[in-house]
Amino acid sequence: MQTIRVWFTKHDEACYISHLDLQRVVQRALKLAGVPVWYSQGFNPHIYLTFALPLPLGQQSITESFDFKTEQPVDGEAIYWQLNRALPHGIDVYDITPAVMGPGEIAWARYLIRFDAQEGDAGPLEQRIDAFLSQKEIPVEKRTKRGGQKQFDLAPYLSRRQWLPFAQGACLDITLPAGSVLNINPDLLLTALEAAAGIDPLDASICRTQLLTADFREFE
């Protein structure tokens, strides 16, 4: 039995496909592509399918992946072309590899957050955002696993950031905790920015660019 990892990007309209619907889309694509997947045993056999840190609704990514199991040798190049023909616009496979790490090893995620230009040029916009992100405390309401809300301080987790050139506004490259131990959705930042600095979340876009382990190795 071998576990195969399929790497893909998610962009444009596909950002608004929920995780549950994405699972259905991928299962359908695997069947249409004729990929020799392994099915679970029992009364209701289903394709073994695991996504590494599913992406929140509305966000783009250039580093998504899902795993499937197979008992047969697979031709990665053939699967690449077959899946890309079967998947909808906005979901593009770019590599097929053996699974090296388990999704549980993910501890950090790197994002690009692009802010469209508002009043003034990019410099003042960056300064306003930096002033907010540099505060000693940034309290937000964070949803718990049980569906409740709790007070959470973002400030200790915002130091790994830098600004990148972006002519139409400002572009923040930031690394945040991710995974099973602690996961910070960058939407929390945008919500807090709206309340404190009047920056409309609708004027920003989020793209996940990297998944990292606890020691900042790239997830593979």
Side-chain angles (χ1 to χ4, degrees):
M1 184 82 67
Q2 185 180 15
T3 301
I4 302 298
R5 183 156 291 157
V6 178
W7 299 90
F8 66 97
T9 63
K10 191 178 181 188
H11 56 92
D12 296 339
E13 296 88 349
C15 296
Y16 301 99
I17 298 176
S18 70
H19 179 56
L20 183 59
D21 285 337
L22 180 61
Q23 288 179 306
R24 296 179 180 130
V25 165
V26 169
Q27 287 175 353
R28 178 177 179 273
L30 287 168
K31 292 176 183 177
L32 288 174
V35 178
V37 296
W38 177 81
Y39 282 78
S40 65
Q41 307 300 308
F43 293 104
N44 184 28
H46 59 275
I47 297 174
Y48 169 88
L49 197 61
T50 301
F51 288 79
L53 199 65
L55 194 68
L57 195 68
Q59 296 181 16
Q60 302 183 65
S61 177
I62 60 171
T63 181
E64 295 304 284
S65 70
F66 66 83
D67 298 348
F68 68 88
K69 289 184 183 294
T70 181
E71 294 179 318
Q72 303 177 31
V74 296
D75 182 342
E77 185 175 354
I79 291 175
Y80 167 85
W81 292 110
Q82 291 161 358
L83 281 178
N84 275 315
R85 281 196 292 265
L87 287 165
H89 172 74
I91 300 176
D92 300 310
V93 172
Y94 65 87
D95 203 4
I96 314 285
T97 67
V100 177
M101 300 176 178
E105 295 184 62
I106 297 170
W108 300 89
R110 188 175 177 183
Y111 301 90
L112 288 183
I113 306 178
R114 300 200 312 183
F115 300 89
D116 292 340
Q118 300 177 357
E119 294 183 7
D121 57 20
L125 180 57
E126 291 178 4
Q127 291 168 15
R128 287 166 57 199
I129 296 171
D130 251 341
F132 170 78
L133 297 179
S134 299
Q135 296 177 102
K136 291 184 178 180
E137 291 185 0
I138 305 177
V140 296
E141 291 291 323
K142 190 175 188 300
R143 185 182 297 275
T144 66
K145 291 183 179 180
R146 295 185 178 180
Q149 298 284 337
K150 70 174 182 179
Q151 195 82 7
F152 182 79
D153 183 14
L154 282 176
Y157 306 102
L158 305 180
S159 61
R160 294 182 179 274
R161 67 179 193 270
Q162 62 177 329
W163 290 102
L164 302 180
F166 183 49
Q168 287 76 39
C171 186
L172 180 66
D173 180 350
I174 189 166
T175 301
L176 298 171
S180 57
V181 177
L182 176 61
N183 187 63
I184 295 180
N185 187 333
D187 278 330
L188 280 176
L189 277 183
L190 299 184
T191 300
L193 271 169
E194 181 182 28
I199 294 173
D200 191 340
L202 296 177
D203 291 329
S205 62
I206 299 169
C207 181
R208 191 159 70 190
T209 61
Q210 228 178 358
L211 295 173
L212 303 164
T213 64
D215 56 357
F216 295 97
R217 290 181 297 139
E218 188 161 15
F219 175 70
E220 58 184 344

